[in-house]
Amino acid sequence: QQLRLKRNQLSKQQQQSHALKALLHLKNWLKLNVEKPSKIAFFLAQDGELNTQQSIEHLWQDSEHEIYLPVLETQPELHMGFCLYRKESKMKKNKFGIFEPDLPLKQHLSAEQLDVVIMPLVGFDKDRNRLGMGGGYYDRSFQFKHSKPSELPKLIGWAHQCQQHEKLPIQPWDVPLDGLITEKQIINWSR
């Protein structure tokens, strides 16, 4: 709650400034770590999260990467699916009131089919730990990374720097981040 409060106390100007700075870091990270057009999953920011819209729009206009968003109502064998997201995508609200692409189940990708995932978080620490919203969707979807940590996709946390915490409590099922982007830094733990 304290970390959510911190990000929600940022002004509109701070939010916009942070999103632009994070976009510059994202461009640099992609240049150094992604050699070919890739499948990149984002999320639609809400509740004070570091905005993703400018980054998504930049990639739509200036890259050949495909952008995906998470979807909760998906194929039975998936904890969370990912759907292609374009400017013209038809959208619908999920059970949490978050917009997601409205595509047939056969067009949903699994987590293993992605190259990079820009992940939402409430908090992070210096030991690659991520505190999510508590639903477990990302941790369950990326459980395979425990046995194959160097496999794709690369899991990149996306947050305001004020969301850093000294030491987060972790559980055995928590999936560590490969990197992190804030308005102040890029951390690439996967190197």
Side-chain angles (χ1 to χ4, degrees):
Q1 288 178 342
Q2 292 170 347
L3 293 169
R4 287 177 68 194
L5 182 62
K6 278 184 183 181
R7 72 185 187 194
N8 276 301
Q9 289 177 334
L10 296 169
S11 69
K12 272 190 170 181
Q13 291 85 356
Q14 288 172 307
Q15 281 277 5
Q16 186 172 18
S17 172
H18 290 186
L20 287 171
K21 290 174 183 175
L23 169 57
L24 293 175
H25 291 315
L26 176 65
K27 286 197 250 184
N28 289 332
W29 187 88
L30 288 171
K31 208 179 295 181
L32 293 171
N33 294 282
V34 179
E35 297 174 13
K36 60 180 176 43
S38 297
K39 292 178 174 71
I40 303 175
F42 273 86
F43 62 97
L44 298 181
Q46 60 171 2
D47 190 35
E49 291 171 326
L50 180 58
N51 197 299
T52 54
Q53 196 60 41
Q54 290 159 312
S55 294
I56 291 169
E57 289 175 10
H58 166 75
L59 293 175
W60 277 340
Q61 293 170 5
D62 295 332
S63 80
E64 295 180 33
H65 299 300
E66 291 182 341
I67 306 302
Y68 289 78
L69 290 179
V71 290
L72 300 185
E73 291 181 29
T74 189
Q75 299 172 33
E77 69 275 10
L78 303 179
H79 297 291
M80 183 168 64
F82 294 87
C83 285
L84 187 61
Y85 179 45
R86 296 187 170 121
K87 288 179 192 178
E88 65 276 5
S89 290
K90 182 180 173 194
M91 305 291 281
K92 67 176 181 178
K93 284 187 179 182
N94 67 22
K95 65 182 178 181
F96 298 112
I98 301 168
F99 282 101
E100 54 186 42
D102 187 10
L103 290 171
L105 293 181
K106 65 182 179 197
Q107 293 181 26
H108 293 202
L109 298 188
S110 69
E112 293 94 339
Q113 293 175 283
L114 300 168
D115 299 304
V116 177
V117 180
I118 305 298
M119 297 179 73
L121 52 85
V122 173
F124 65 92
D125 68 21
K126 61 182 174 26
D127 297 319
R128 301 176 52 196
N129 298 311
R130 167 191 172 271
L131 177 66
M133 290 295 287
Y137 289 98
Y138 281 89
D139 287 321
R140 285 194 305 272
S141 297
F142 295 100
Q143 270 307 303
F144 66 91
K145 294 272 291 176
H146 279 297
S147 60
K148 302 174 186 176
S150 61
E151 296 275 320
L152 293 178
K154 294 293 182 193
L155 305 180
I156 309 300
W158 183 262
H160 299 282
Q161 189 66 44
C162 68
Q163 293 175 250
Q164 184 168 9
H165 191 68
E166 184 61 32
K167 184 77 175 154
L168 290 172
I170 58 167
Q171 300 297 330
W173 56 81
D174 290 337
V175 178
L177 296 167
D178 294 308
L180 177 82
I181 294 176
T182 73
E183 77 279 6
K184 292 193 175 178
Q185 64 180 332
I186 305 173
I187 299 174
N188 195 356
W189 287 299
S190 62
R191 283 198 173 156

